[in-house]
Amino acid sequence: MNRRELMLLLGGATIAPRALRAEQKAMPVIGYLSAGSPGVFAPDIGVFRRGLSETGYVEGQNLAIEYRWADGRYERLPALAADLVDRKVDVIATLGGMPSALAAKSATSTIPVVFNVGSDPVELGLVASLARPGGNLTGVTGLATELMAKRLELLLELAPQARVIALLVNPNSPQTEPVIRDLQQAADRKGVQLDILKAASEREIDAAFASLPERRAGALVIGSDALFNNRLEELVVLAARHAVPAIYDRREFAAGGGLISYGSSLTANYRQVGIYAGKILKRAKAADLPVQQPTTFELVVNLNTAKALGRTVPPSLLARADEVIE
């Protein structure tokens, strides 16, 4: 082998790995970071993929998705977010609320992040403004905390004699304080007492429900939280066992036997996250994509549960419901 042939061979050996890396990178990768669990959030994944498909991306064909789940344990989110950054994903989509978004923001200032949060993203420090986010984050705000007052109003229609309203929150969630603040203001306006129940585990959830009689709580508001979403069936069963009328933020709770739910359409929110992620893959900048606010809200009433609790649903409430489960 002469010197010229040797140089060509060495040059080819250098080019080959580069070509392989280029081929591997030809398929973009989205990091999917959720505070919840895959079983509970499986329908949301389908909606997220639908949004992506509207921009021309289909998982397994021209797109790969790396999934990371915290299973309701917020302390795991920073490491999961850092892992996605280390893998050099092209976009990070954060689902499961504020904790996921904050973890992604702390992990990277360069990789675009598309979030779905319940609170005001400007107040949280995620974006500079809703119209012009300005950094590497944008997404959707579901106004979950802002809807707390409306949930209290609806709950009091079903339990008008209640003078003490309990609120179940996860003390480990960064959105707990805004939720308590908003609902306390609403309770003061309605002239009812607000009693805070804090639970960050299955044992603490059981204890919180067991304390309802001594607290003389006439109704219960379930805070928006990935931990509670992961324990949907448990919460519905406990509410029935303790015969307490409860309101939830997700339709899935009412469909699963809960009394009533009210919140922004998660289908619309998760679809929008998918659309934004796809747009960013097509070179749109997160800084230029305005944060979307919900335009669709879902009120779901479960008449079977109302009957089991001995509650009469006012006709005016039924007329406003988007879905009545019988």
Side-chain angles (χ1 to χ4, degrees):
M1 180 182 294
N2 60 35
R3 185 174 183 280
R4 182 175 181 276
E5 291 172 332
L6 178 61
M7 293 302 293
L8 287 173
L9 178 61
L10 292 175
T14 302
I15 293 171
R18 292 177 181 173
L20 178 59
R21 286 195 296 270
E23 181 180 347
Q24 291 174 334
K25 194 59 179 177
M27 181 179 289
V29 180
I30 289 179
Y32 185 103
L33 179 65
S34 175
S37 302
V40 175
F41 286 85
D44 302 329
I45 297 174
V47 176
F48 171 70
R49 289 175 180 148
R50 189 190 314 163
L52 282 167
S53 68
E54 292 181 30
T55 64
Y57 289 100
V58 178
E59 183 181 10
Q61 295 184 16
N62 59 353
L63 173 72
I65 302 179
E66 292 271 354
Y67 296 94
R68 298 293 183 273
W69 303 93
D71 297 319
R73 295 171 55 189
Y74 294 139
E75 70 275 10
R76 298 182 58 194
L77 287 168
L80 295 174
D83 181 51
L84 291 174
V85 172
D86 289 342
R87 290 177 179 271
K88 295 180 172 57
V89 298
D90 296 281
V91 182
I92 298 177
T94 72
L95 289 304
M98 181 200 312
S100 303
L102 291 175
K105 178 177 173 60
S106 296
T108 180
S109 60
T110 55
I111 297 175
V113 176
V114 184
F115 57 72
N116 175 47
V117 298
S119 302
D120 181 354
V122 178
E123 183 178 337
L124 295 173
L126 294 175
V127 297
S129 72
L130 298 183
R132 297 298 298 269
N136 64 312
L137 286 84
T138 188
V140 182
T141 172
L143 302 176
T145 55
E146 289 82 351
L147 294 175
M148 296 304 290
K150 182 63 176 180
R151 292 193 186 108
L152 177 62
E153 176 185 320
L154 292 167
L155 188 58
L156 288 175
E157 289 190 52
L158 289 167
Q161 304 306 316
R163 306 319 308 157
V164 178
I165 305 295
L167 168 64
L168 181 66
V169 293
N170 179 356
N172 295 333
S173 171
Q175 67 185 15
T176 291
E177 289 307 316
V179 165
I180 294 175
R181 179 196 65 208
D182 289 352
L183 195 57
Q184 183 63 67
Q185 293 173 352
D188 291 343
R189 290 193 297 270
K190 290 291 184 180
V192 296
Q193 177 183 334
L194 183 64
D195 201 347
I196 310 300
L197 309 177
K198 296 183 178 181
S201 66
E202 184 174 351
R203 179 180 60 81
E204 291 178 352
I205 290 174
D206 288 338
F209 273 87
S211 72
L212 289 173
E214 66 184 69
R215 295 172 182 269
R216 299 187 178 184
L220 174 65
V221 179
I222 305 293
S224 304
D225 195 88
L227 171 69
F228 302 150
N229 294 337
N230 288 346
R231 289 167 171 76
L232 183 154
E233 293 182 3
E234 176 188 349
L235 290 172
V236 168
V237 168
L238 285 170
R241 182 182 302 163
H242 292 277
V244 58
I247 188 166
Y248 312 84
D249 67 325
R250 294 172 61 107
R251 176 196 173 277
E252 287 81 359
F253 280 96
L259 177 60
I260 184 173
S261 66
Y262 182 74
S264 60
S265 170
L266 290 178
T267 298
N269 294 351
Y270 279 51
R271 171 178 165 269
Q272 185 61 49
V273 172
I275 291 173
Y276 264 13
K279 286 185 175 181
I280 290 173
L281 291 178
K282 290 181 178 293
R283 307 304 180 192
K285 293 183 179 179
D288 299 330
L289 295 174
V291 175
Q292 298 292 313
Q293 298 183 72
T295 57
T296 304
F297 300 92
E298 298 175 331
L299 171 60
V300 183
V301 178
N302 191 316
L303 277 184
N304 292 324
T305 302
K307 292 175 183 176
L309 292 173
R311 300 282 171 176
T312 300
V313 181
S316 59
L317 183 58
L318 289 176
R320 302 197 309 273
D322 298 283
E323 181 180 357
V324 176
I325 298 173
E326 300 185 69

